Amino acid sequence: MRRRAIPRAKSTKSGSGTNSSSLSLAAYELIRAQIQDGRVGPGDRVMEDEIARQLNASRTPVRDAMRRLEAEGFLVHESHRGMVIPRLDHQMIMELYEMWIVLEAEAARLVARHASDAEVEMLDELVKASRVEVKTSEDMANHNRRFHKALYNATHNRYLLKSVGVLMDSLNILSHTTFTIDDRLTRAQDEHQAIVDAIRTRDVDAAAAASRAHTEASFRARLKLLARMES
């Protein structure tokens, strides 16, 4: 099985201002960023010595970072291979999106009820900006993260934010963006606009329905992407 190395990061020199804790955090953030960006994906190995070399650090803080990532579900230990990015099976993905649909709908409902006019305007501006700025599927993936982060913050509900964070960690493991599927990129922009339009009218049920439709469309695209990758 192939081994895909994590791309090199800027070196972090050891010195009086650098301690094991900061190096461990740097290793944690490096590995997690590569997972979130899709530059390493399910089944890829994460090599302790490679990360240590990239950060110009000893293996001890890297090992600490990898233990933390394992505890959070970003890494799993496989016999004879070491630490790898976990693979989510079909049932796990079904369960993940089932909960994601519920949370997204509730987030939109809360935003329609609690968001300030300024927050609603910001969401609308994000959608309009995406029409101009987004050129590639990677651009859309970045915009999508910004839009949904702004949406969650506008719920003004700290417990929903915590729940979203847990599910987002699992979604990030899936890596490859669904915006490469068919015309998903432009459809997602239209779906974002429908969510914002419903929120602007303070129609909580319409906002929840628009958000549910958006997440269900994302799920269908994910299934198509998985089928394409398997074939």
Side-chain angles (χ1 to χ4, degrees):
M1 186 174 290
R2 65 186 177 85
R3 176 173 67 85
R4 183 168 58 186
I6 291 180
R8 294 186 65 81
K10 292 181 179 179
S11 177
T12 303
K13 297 292 184 180
S14 299
S16 58
T18 303
N19 55 37
S20 180
S21 178
S22 63
L23 285 171
S24 177
L25 179 60
Y28 172 87
E29 292 177 342
L30 171 62
I31 299 169
R32 183 161 175 167
Q34 301 298 337
I35 296 171
Q36 292 173 336
D37 291 344
R39 283 179 259 178
V40 290
D44 289 337
R45 296 178 67 188
V46 177
M47 307 294 290
E48 187 178 295
D49 56 346
E50 288 184 10
I51 300 299
R53 185 165 56 253
Q54 290 176 43
L55 295 174
N56 195 20
S58 71
R59 296 173 66 172
T60 299
V62 176
R63 193 174 300 121
D64 291 340
M66 293 175 74
R67 288 197 193 102
R68 178 181 172 187
L69 287 161
E70 183 181 19
E72 293 177 359
F74 282 99
L75 296 175
V76 294
H77 186 273
E78 287 190 0
S79 180
H80 308 301
R81 296 195 69 215
M83 289 294 194
V84 302
I85 311 299
R87 300 178 181 88
L88 300 186
D89 62 30
H90 185 79
Q91 183 59 36
M92 293 169 72
I93 294 172
M94 293 283 288
E95 293 171 7
L96 174 60
Y97 270 92
E98 183 176 32
M99 291 308 301
W100 194 248
I101 289 168
V102 171
L103 272 182
E104 284 280 329
E106 187 58 28
R109 188 187 300 276
L110 289 171
V111 173
R113 184 177 294 134
H114 298 303
S116 66
D117 290 343
E119 287 172 320
V120 177
E121 193 61 34
M122 179 179 65
L123 288 169
D124 191 53
E125 289 174 358
L126 281 170
V127 177
K128 287 180 169 58
S130 76
R131 307 280 193 184
V132 177
E133 298 169 2
V134 168
K135 306 297 181 185
T136 67
S137 58
E138 289 78 12
D139 292 341
M140 188 58 196
N142 289 330
H143 161 77
N144 190 62
R145 281 190 287 269
R146 292 196 301 272
F147 176 81
H148 284 278
K149 182 177 181 180
L151 187 76
Y152 305 144
N153 287 336
T155 64
H156 299 285
N157 188 304
R158 70 193 70 184
Y159 296 104
L160 183 136
L161 287 173
K162 288 181 180 180
S163 299
V164 163
V166 172
L167 287 186
M168 186 69 77
D169 285 345
S170 295
L171 280 172
N172 285 333
I173 293 172
L174 293 175
S175 62
H176 305 281
T177 177
T178 59
F179 295 118
T180 58
I181 296 295
D182 302 330
D183 57 350
R184 182 71 200 127
L185 190 155
T186 54
R187 284 184 178 273
Q189 291 174 325
D190 293 341
E191 291 158 10
H192 285 173
Q193 189 65 63
I195 295 170
V196 174
D197 290 345
I199 288 171
R200 189 187 298 280
T201 64
R202 304 296 177 175
D203 188 332
V204 295
D205 291 333
S211 185
R212 175 180 290 273
H214 172 55
T215 314
E216 288 175 343
S218 176
F219 179 38
R220 290 192 294 272
R222 175 62 62 184
L223 293 179
K224 285 184 179 180
L225 178 61
L226 290 172
R228 177 187 294 179
M229 293 172 64
E230 288 172 359
S231 63

